[in-house]
Amino acid sequence: MQRYLIQRILLVIPTLWLVISLLFLALRALPGDFVTRKLSNLENQGAEQRESEIVGYIEVSETTHRVISGDTLEAIAASNNTSVSELLVHNPDLDTSGELRPGTQVTVIPGQLLSSIAIGEKVSLPEEVDIGVQLLIDRNPDVDFPEYQGQPYAESGTILTIRTSFTLDELAHVNRIEADDILAVNPTGSASNPDGTLSAGTQLIPTSLVLAEEGDTLEGIAAAFGRDLEDVTRANSRVDPAGPLEAGTAIVVPSDRIVTPTTKITEANIRNRLGIDKPLGRQYLDFLWETVRLKFRESFQTQEDSLDIFLRALPRSLHLNIYSLIVALVVALPVGVLSAMRQDRPLDYGLRGFAILALAAPSFWIATMLIFVVTPGGISEGGIFSIPLTSEEARSVFSSFTGALALYSIPAVAGGVAAGAGLMRITRSELLEVLRQDYVRTAWSKGLRERTVIRRHAMRNALVNVMSVLGLQIAALVGGNIILESLFNIPGIGLLLIQRINQADLPVVQTMVFFFALFIIIVNIIIDISYAIIDPRIRFT
């Protein structure tokens, strides 16, 4: 038996490799569509190109975590590699007497990591973040940068110089496009290139912050920096544009205006985040390594880790699928056995008719009919119970058992009946086949009771093929419950998958498809092992 188990478990490795490879090939056919959909959203908003400002400085803010339903301080601390006590130091007013309220902002760092600033403000590309961090340190020699977990950060409220000059070529580089792409949307005669001298090496002047000296005026500062007075006045609306400035007044000097091709920038970023801007072989190795380590790319929509998004939705789907499986087994096994034992009798015809109806009717139609039966205003004015479609507590049996029972019962029965009908028919046919065997006739001739013959001699042998179909039904159950989750507003992996496909959030879709495939592999391995438990002859063949 031990050798049999080892052989079956080892089959997971090549099977999983094959699944990952097929998933890679399938996804390589999808990215173009996802990129096109993202770009079309921009084009529909008239955002093929835009006038961009070159940021020269920022005021550093705190690094926060926005609480979502189910978050705990322990989970927030773990995801940010810190401790609960450290979080409480930064959040002295945080109410920890109960569950964290969704939407609450929890301060993780009283500032921002220089690496985050370098990437977020496009001082450097993510793969060159060390260079970006060093540039920020060099450009701010008077700023003291403390460390957080060995990485330098700027404290909240610090005015940080991001850049003092910027060439058009550097602007293109941090956007993963070519300088010619930018020049193409800044033709000679345009506001950003009036005399046609704009080139890849042109120095662009970023937004800067200057301190006025005694007697300075906005007009004088605008002239000194070669800026239009109207632009300077607009950027300093709190300052009197006509009178002299007080010494030490901080004046914002607007940056050069340059038109950037938004569509190209977005496409370049999407392709980089998908990893499809590399050679195909490198893409495959990166995809294989990321998948094996369960290190999936961040969501396009929320920038959260795709695995965290999946794990957050998983418990709701488990509630529904386990409930549905229980219903399916309760329907299939007893009803199948009863139908076989009463072959060609009125009860058998009735049960077979029920199975055919359940197979023919889609699960969402059954669910819709059940809603009409049980809810108030349906068949009866008072109804049997109301379905808590919007209750957050009802989505977990651990938060509200009665609420979860009311929410999950109808979709579980609808999905379980559809799956159980197929199992019931195969249980009946397999049991009838076994009952015709000689050893079963011998058991009958010994005068054994019907229950004993079925349980000890017939059912165990009939279950081998039933288990094969059960594996397929479980896979179909997961797929069918995607529709039921949408219908009943259950934020499980099915509803999440549909939403992320519509949003073209490919990293999350990739993560979910992988775990769907992994789940089917594990289920079939378990079914395969169960054959040897049910029928000892299999393990010796």
Side-chain angles (χ1 to χ4, degrees), residues 178-213:
E178 301 295 331
D180 289 342
D181 295 325
I182 299 179
L183 292 172
V185 294
N186 292 271
T188 301
S190 62
S192 55
N193 189 19
D195 52 7
T197 58
L198 190 66
S199 67
T202 299
Q203 290 284 336
L204 304 174
I205 307 301
T207 301
S208 56
L209 193 66
V210 299
L211 298 179
E213 297 180 357

Side-chain angles (χ1 to χ4, degrees), residues 332-334 336-338 340 423 426-428 430-431 434-435 439-440 451-467 534:
L333 298 182
V337 171
L338 185 60
L423 279 176
I426 192 68
T427 301
R428 176 185 179 277
E430 287 299 316
L431 191 56
V434 172
L435 288 174
Y439 66 88
V440 176
R451 179 184 301 178
T452 304
V453 172
I454 297 297
R455 183 167 56 88
R456 291 188 178 180
H457 298 276
M459 194 61 193
R460 190 166 183 175
N461 290 283
L463 278 179
V464 173
N465 288 332
V466 173
M467 292 298 294
I534 295 171

Side-chain angles (χ1 to χ4, degrees), residues 162-182:
I162 300 301
R163 54 180 66 87
T164 53
S165 64
F166 208 44
T167 66
L168 188 139
D169 197 38
E170 290 172 332
L171 175 63
H173 175 70
V174 295
N175 284 290
R176 302 185 187 280
I177 58 177
E178 301 295 331
D180 289 342
D181 295 325
I182 299 179

